[in-house]
Amino acid sequence: MATAGSTTGADAHGALRQRKSKPSEPGREPVEQFFQDKPKTVIGEYYRDEDDISLDTVEKYVVPMLFTILSFVTRMYRIGISDIVTWDEAHFGKFGSHYLKREFYFDVHPPLGKMLVGLSGYLCGYNGSFEFKSGDHYPEDVNYTFMRIFNATFGALCVPVAYYTAKSLKFSTLATWLVTLMVLCENSYATISRFILLDSMLMLFTFTSFLGLAKFHEWRRHPFTSGWWFWLTFTGVNIGCVTSVKWVGMLTTALVGIYTIHDLWDKFGDLKMPVVTYAKHWISRIVCLIILPLTIYLACFKIHFLILENSGPGDAQMSSLFQANLRNSDLTKGPLDVAIGSKFTLKNMGYGGGLLHSHVQTFPEGSEQQQVTCYHHKDSNNEWVFYPIRGSPEYDPNDSEIRFIESGDAIRLIHENTGRNLHSHVMPAPITKDQNEVSCYGNLTVGDDKDNWIIEIVSDTAHSDNRVHTLTSSLRFRHQVLGCYLRAANVNLPPWGFKQVEVTCDKTNNPRDRFTHWNVEMHVNPRLPQGDAKAYKSPFLRDFVHLNVAMMTSNNALVPDPDKRDELASRPWQWPVLNVGLRMCGWSNDIVKYYLLGNPFVVWGSTASVAMLAIVTFVYLCRWQRKYVDMTPDEVSHFIYSGLYPALGWGLHYFPFILMARVTYVHHYLPALYFAIMTFGFLFDFGTRKLSWWARYLAYLLAYAAVIGVFALYSPISFGIIGNHENYDYLNWLSTWTI
Amino acid sequence: MAPKAPTPEKGGKKTKQQSSASAGPVSSAPAPDTSTVKAEEVDDSSGPIYLVAKPLTPAEARREEIYYNVALFVITILSFFTRFYMLFHPDQVVFDEVHFGKFASYYLQGTYFFDVHPPFGKLLFALVGWLVGYDGAFLFDNIGDGYTHNKVPYLAYRALPALLGSLTVPVVFLTMKHSGYSLAACLVSAALVLFDNGHITQTRLILLDATLIFSMSCALYSYVKFMRYRNSPFSQKWWQWLLLTGLALACTISTKYVGAFTFFTIGLAVIIDLWNLLDIDNGLSLKQFAQHFFARAFALIAMPFMIYLFFFQVHFWVLNKSGPGDDFMSPEFQETLGDNELALLAKPINYYDTIAIKHKDTGAYLHSHSDRYPLRYDDGRISSQGQQVTGYPHKDANNNWVILPAAGFPENDRLGHPVNGGDIVQLYHVVTGTYLLTHDVASPYYPTNQEFTTVSPEDAAGPRHNDTLFEIRLSNGKKEQFRTKGGLFKLIHFPTKVAMWTHTKPLPDWAYRQQEVNGNKNAQQLSNTWLVDEIVDLKDDRMKVEKKKVKQLPFMKKWLELQIAMFRHNNALTSSHPYASLPPEWPFMLRGVSFWTQNDTRSQIYLVGNPLGWWFATSCLAVLSGVFVADQLTRRRRYYVLAENVRTRLYNSAGFFLLAWAAHYFPFYIMGRQLFLHHYLPAHLTSALVAGALLDFFYGNPGVFPVAYQAAAAASTKAAAKKGQVVESVVHRLQPPTMYPPSSLISYAVSGVIIGLIFGVYWFFKPFTYGDPGLSVPEVLMRKWMNFDLHFAK
């Protein structure tokens, strides 16, 4: 306990010590009084009532148990009554099926949550054959109830976590109950936890990360003890998990990061701390909060790759070598050497690169010729054929002589489906204006020199001859006339290009630019012997980065289309004011309907508390600047760590969505709401701390009653609306709600 | 609020070279300390030191003043020379002159136009045009159009930005001078702007940036001046510079909205200043603090806002005729413009009028003919087989509809009843004698949208009556009289609440490839808007075209409407441009913008900052940030490397410049719109200030001279009185500070080298700045630094 003398709380007030002391005045106590060596009390005892303590032991065990039971009841009551695929079950159920079928698929979210969905299917003996079409009825052999219960367990566990977090934040017992009750009786939590979605997992891991942080803060005066290590590791594991479920987990990680920097900055100013101890603090955090979560994230992807060993719908997102190693992939049979007349697909080798693609639609601007793009799905429009350039001997399939293609050869690429030549000309590309547009133009006979491309082999992982080989050769395509290089760099086209990736001709010659590197992926040439591509392995880390870049590219393409209003999407400003809800399924009378809407009391109350906390903080800061002493250092510390940090968590989980160009939905607010609830609990506690006991009890009782009452009122939207929705019109408190 | 004790003197000033060993505690706290505090005091005692240089004698101060003035004179002359040199070349429309020259012409002609920038900068050009008596006939349609044969007074136009651009340089110099920097530092800052090819290029042409940069630099300068009077609040000079700051801010934001960054810079500095004033050690009562607060709120928020509004008022006064910007505005707004079609032709609509209804976006008329929908569409869905209702772009008798009330008027009292917004009406198709209707049958193309058709009078009176009812919902939400032309409305089906809608995809041959009309369930969409094009066969007295008086609309209403349209439009400016660039490239001057080329002389104007100047300024930003980080880290460990007053100067002055740079640079990162290199110019100016400040920090005189005027405060007066000296009346008498730190030789040497190099690079890139002379291929290639995409390189 070398550092016990300098607490974090006292340090936050370090500046006070350097201030001029003032003669004592009424209402303004001298600052130093608080720095005298009072017996150090555990923070929070200020907040504990005398009569609570006698019941402490009972409360400690009975109440969380009770809450947990209630939580399981609210999350699982009537969980199986709707036997149709609801909301995004259509996606996540399907992804779970892919794990059971072990087929490679692609999605924008990291794999942990979906692997857990897959696990739930595995546990109930589901074979992965169901399509999970939105609105379909579940067949007999899918035990969807079990799968939902598995998910709801994560949702239910959120409630005890909230309880223990509030305890660790040193809320009074009454406030702890209030916070737990608010999480328990939050309709949106209860609703979204009931389905096969990732949100319940995301919520649980977010909550546990914050629990870990709160617990770790509790242990801060006992560094390097087993408890301290446990909670630090616990936090690290959980931020690893939350990030592996959805990328928004990064926001939770940011909260932990800010706390850690704040903490280390405090310790940096502690001159009594030996440098070695300080270095140990750094190293412990680097190991537990950076390396450990990263390892978990990587491990999730490793397992993901290990499970999904068969070829599936997501193949095309990955590098050709990776695909060649999937079972049943059609890549392995391609002939080794590429010749004139070979039919092939061309894969961009940059991270997240797709297949060279063309389709009959034309560019709406520029040359208005046929579009050439990069596409991430297998499709016959990805197929091209090597043809000799005009003026050299024509290609004749019956000719016995096979002309292999070598580095430096000039060839044409003909799009198999439309018969047009890959073409470039001096015309700015649609998005990247300083590069040339690439289009498809003419046909076998119509065209000019601008259809000619010169192949350059950059490297070959397995062969050293000058020939172009399937999979292993990295190629560049130089335009014969313009000297520019064929390039695709993850820039999404507008809706007219179906959000596919722009293909350009880059005027600069940069041999190390991997976005100008291509390899032959699928290769068909009946005149050549089959090769064996299994021999080439693809390193894990490269696949990992590749997949993550591909996820990011697809995520960036999920922008709202201004021409098409998505009825279900909503704007971030609507969430804290609960301006909007979400119909999770069809709205006809014969199906059980669910409506995703927060408990109005909880949402409005928590939003108001965040605003209120900002005002309260401002007032206290001004008073502090006027040298009023309103709080003891311990109270200041409590205010910062139990009040401002949850509010910061709310901000971190909310404001990034405003800046995001992506489509946003109501359920994106759920993690932020949790931090707002914690803020509410703190502020309620803070506001009632000086009331007489009966007034406090009355205030809390009213709050409990309001939370439970509103939840009960709105319980139909969580437990399922059966029958005509018009019977529930009375729930539409705002005209924008559509129950 | 308890009364305050008088402020204890903060840290006695120690003379130079105070050693840490010999010095006692700096802050001599009078009150008895508790043990903890004492320990801290001992800890701190090795800390803060003050450096105070020997004050200048009056003769020295006079000499310094002369040096500064001579330097100011020289750079001002140079500045005018660099900006006005060859101003007549080229006599063609260059780059964005195409926009701003055109706007000036619109002002001169008084025709209404729409632009995303606020009016001040453009009004100035119009003022110049008006002063030289130009009529605004030339509309600057294409880049490269000749000025001379179009008789455009382009020299006068360009003289305005050149003048403002020239004046920016002395303002930079004075900002540095009044911040208390040595002559060498002032010269470096001024030279970075003076010899900057980017500033010169951008401020020689008919563009808004000269106005913007000049106003912005004036705002910084005024605020620096204002802070010099901080010890005599509410004095005349204090008010003067505070109000001038507000005025300069208003001009900045009224030129371009990036002026908001200047507001942010000064706003943040003011908040920090106020926060320190709130500290009770400053001895202000809450009332005094409130005075400080409201003085700034008035001068820096309320007054600039009024000025900003005033420019819009001028904008509306000048633009009183209909013009190309009409379509951006609402019909009410358009009716305030002279010779606007809407104002002339809009007529009130009565029941039983025969009208033609036109779709606003596609311009198609609501049309019906006796053909019916086919029973079965190609995709297998079936229709009601009712009469077709389509959109048809040409005038035709089949576009005529009679507007009827839901419950008819008596036979003898049908004329003269006005239709109002919100009324429930029926529409009667004249040629086929049927009533418009929509019902829950899918439309030909949209399974989600309702089919529109017509039914016979019997049905319309009987079983289908409800389905023939529509609400006229005016776009402005009012219940006022329904009018032709201006009365934009949505036709909402009364029972099902769908809105009548049409789109451009033509129906198959069975409908003669006319447009589909259907019921859109998303009634909110703007594309549901229709208007009544005309009243057919108008016979009564409404027929007379009376010369209507141009309507008036309250200013605030006009302004709000325009403001919202401007923001909406600004966010939509996302299309790409070959020379657009991204913020990370700017500080490193990686790539310029091609403004103008001329093939026969091989000359070109290429906007490029002085690369050396930009790199130097950018590295100064990095070094200063490094100094701040190092200072924070060492102080945290209780090492006090910097003298306390040197540090204060560094944070309050150089830190302010760094803040200004960050505020004028980083917001561009989150801006979605198209960006160009010239957006960095305001930030470059602030980085030049940082460069000068840093030069002084490293090479300047180690002493710090007070910059603020010292008010003879009551306390010191008392002290003087005690000593038996004669006390003058010193309420607001200011003692001039000694603010001229003589430059050290080394700082002169360093700044000389820097300025020389910068001038050399300026000279080297001069042909691109003035568009003359043309260069040969090797000469162009020699200047092709970084990623400059110059013309005539081959």
Side-chain angles (χ1 to χ4, degrees), chain A residues 412-485:
Chain A
R412 280 189 297 159
L413 288 92
I414 303 264
H415 188 238
E416 169 85 352
N417 278 3
T418 60
R420 299 192 186 280
N421 303 294
L422 188 74
H423 181 92
S424 183
H425 38 219
V426 187
M427 176 83 68
I431 310 280
T432 319
K433 298 269 186 190
D434 55 342
Q435 298 182 6
N436 289 329
E437 181 189 275
V438 174
S439 64
C440 255
Y441 177 66
N443 57 29
L444 217 46
T445 47
V446 176
D448 55 22
D449 287 353
K450 288 182 182 159
D451 300 337
N452 299 347
W453 298 84
I454 293 166
I455 288 197
E456 295 177 5
I457 295 182
V458 184
S459 64
D460 195 309
T461 49
H463 309 275
S464 55
D465 57 358
N466 214 15
R467 276 190 192 169
V468 173
H469 300 287
T470 313
L471 295 175
T472 58
S473 297
S474 307
L475 312 171
R476 292 203 297 164
F477 290 84
R478 179 155 58 84
H479 195 259
Q480 196 180 38
V481 177
L482 303 173
C484 55
Y485 287 91

Side-chain angles (χ1 to χ4, degrees), chain B residues 114-349:
Chain B
F114 178 84
D115 179 38
V116 294
H117 298 299
F120 177 61
K122 294 170 289 183
L123 279 169
L124 278 185
F125 283 118
L127 178 70
V128 170
W130 182 75
L131 285 176
V132 299
Y134 184 56
D135 61 355
F138 181 62
L139 283 182
F140 298 76
D141 283 324
N142 298 303
I143 295 179
D145 283 357
Y147 282 134
T148 317
H149 68 266
N150 282 307
K151 303 198 175 51
V152 186
Y154 73 103
L155 259 179
Y157 276 145
R158 281 185 190 163
L160 172 74
L163 174 73
L164 296 177
S166 310
L167 290 178
T168 304
V169 179
V171 169
V172 167
F173 181 89
L174 287 173
T175 307
M176 289 301 286
K177 177 187 168 192
H178 289 283
S179 300
Y181 291 104
S182 70
L183 183 56
C186 296
L187 282 172
V188 166
S189 289
L192 279 171
V193 181
L194 171 64
F195 296 123
D196 187 75
N197 306 64
H199 276 280
I200 296 174
T201 311
Q202 196 72 17
T203 58
R204 281 162 45 83
L205 302 170
I206 309 173
L207 303 172
L208 298 183
D209 299 83
T211 320
L212 175 81
I213 296 167
F214 178 69
S215 314
M216 173 254 180
S217 61
C218 282
L220 294 181
Y221 171 63
S222 308
Y223 189 68
V224 163
K225 284 288 273 186
F226 164 73
M227 285 308 279
R228 287 193 68 195
Y229 292 95
R230 62 179 175 271
N231 290 330
S232 54
F234 309 109
S235 63
Q236 181 244 329
K237 289 272 184 192
W238 186 90
W239 271 113
Q240 174 191 326
W241 287 106
L242 180 61
L243 291 171
L244 280 174
T245 311
L247 176 69
L249 281 174
C251 292
T252 316
I253 201 158
S254 305
T255 306
K256 276 189 175 187
Y257 285 118
V258 291
F261 305 157
T262 319
F263 260 94
F264 178 79
T265 309
I266 303 232
L268 201 61
V270 165
I271 286 170
I272 292 170
D273 185 31
L274 282 176
W275 184 246
N276 290 330
L277 288 179
L278 185 64
D279 190 333
I280 205 151
D281 286 349
N282 271 302
L284 293 184
S285 72
L286 271 191
K287 187 167 161 249
Q288 288 168 316
F289 176 76
Q291 286 168 344
H292 273 279
F293 178 84
F294 285 111
R296 285 164 177 83
F298 167 75
L300 303 179
I301 299 173
M303 190 191 74
F305 185 61
M306 298 311 290
I307 296 173
Y308 174 73
L309 289 185
F310 170 74
F311 289 132
F312 273 92
Q313 180 65 284
V314 175
H315 177 79
F316 292 136
W317 278 333
V318 175
L319 301 177
N320 51 16
K321 293 199 210 97
S322 170
D326 286 13
D327 289 345
F328 292 92
M329 312 310 292
S330 70
E332 290 86 8
F333 190 103
Q334 293 183 34
E335 288 178 12
T336 66
L337 300 168
D339 23 294
N340 183 284
E341 198 192 28
L342 287 177
L344 291 177
L345 300 177
K347 296 193 193 315
I349 299 167

